[in-house]
């Protein structure tokens, strides 16, 4: 599955009980449609909890509000909350991350001119693919 959306917060490195590190982040995907009854636009957001297992070196690139394109396998985590009610969350084991933009206005953020930033994108699939 592939999704494009904004990161809801800075990505973090987490560690499993067995000591394996991974990058954890949440992608918000907005969906809008026009309600036929009210003739108004309705916006809904879906949130995908993502895990990237290949390299923790991408963590500093995955900043809050960055626009990313991620691809991977979708899963569902299900658990019972403290009141015994079943809860669930969509998850994604990410194979590839494309960083489309790193600022809230949709342009890439760095020290070069805006003209150079308009089509900036970085693709990260492993530590060897980092652009620096």
């Amino acid at each position: 599955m592939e999704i494009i959306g904004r990161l809801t917060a800075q990505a973090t490195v987490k560690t499993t009980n067995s000591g394996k590190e991974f990058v954890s982040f949440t992608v918000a995907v907005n969906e809008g449609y026009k309600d036929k009854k009210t003739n108004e636009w309705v916006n809904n957001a879906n949130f995908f909890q993502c895990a990237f297992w290949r390299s923790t070196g991408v963590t500093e690139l995955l900043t809050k509000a960055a626009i990313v394109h991620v691809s991977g396998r979708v899963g569902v985590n299900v658990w019972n909350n403290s009141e015994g009610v079943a809860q669930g969350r969509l998850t994604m084991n990410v194979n590839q991350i494309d960083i489309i933009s790193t600022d809230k206005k949709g342009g890439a953020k760095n020290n070069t001119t805006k003209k150079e930033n308009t089509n900036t994108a970085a693709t990260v699939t492993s530590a060897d693919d980092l652009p620096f």
Side-chain angles (χ1 to χ4, degrees), residues 57-58 60-61 127-132:
V58 301
E60 66 249 10
L61 299 174
D128 295 333
D129 291 340
L130 291 175
F132 47 87

Side-chain angles (χ1 to χ4, degrees), residues 66-83:
I67 301 172
V68 295
H69 166 254
V70 295
S71 61
R73 294 182 329 273
V74 175
V76 177
N77 284 349
V78 179
W79 68 94
N80 290 328
N81 67 14
S82 59
E83 292 145 10

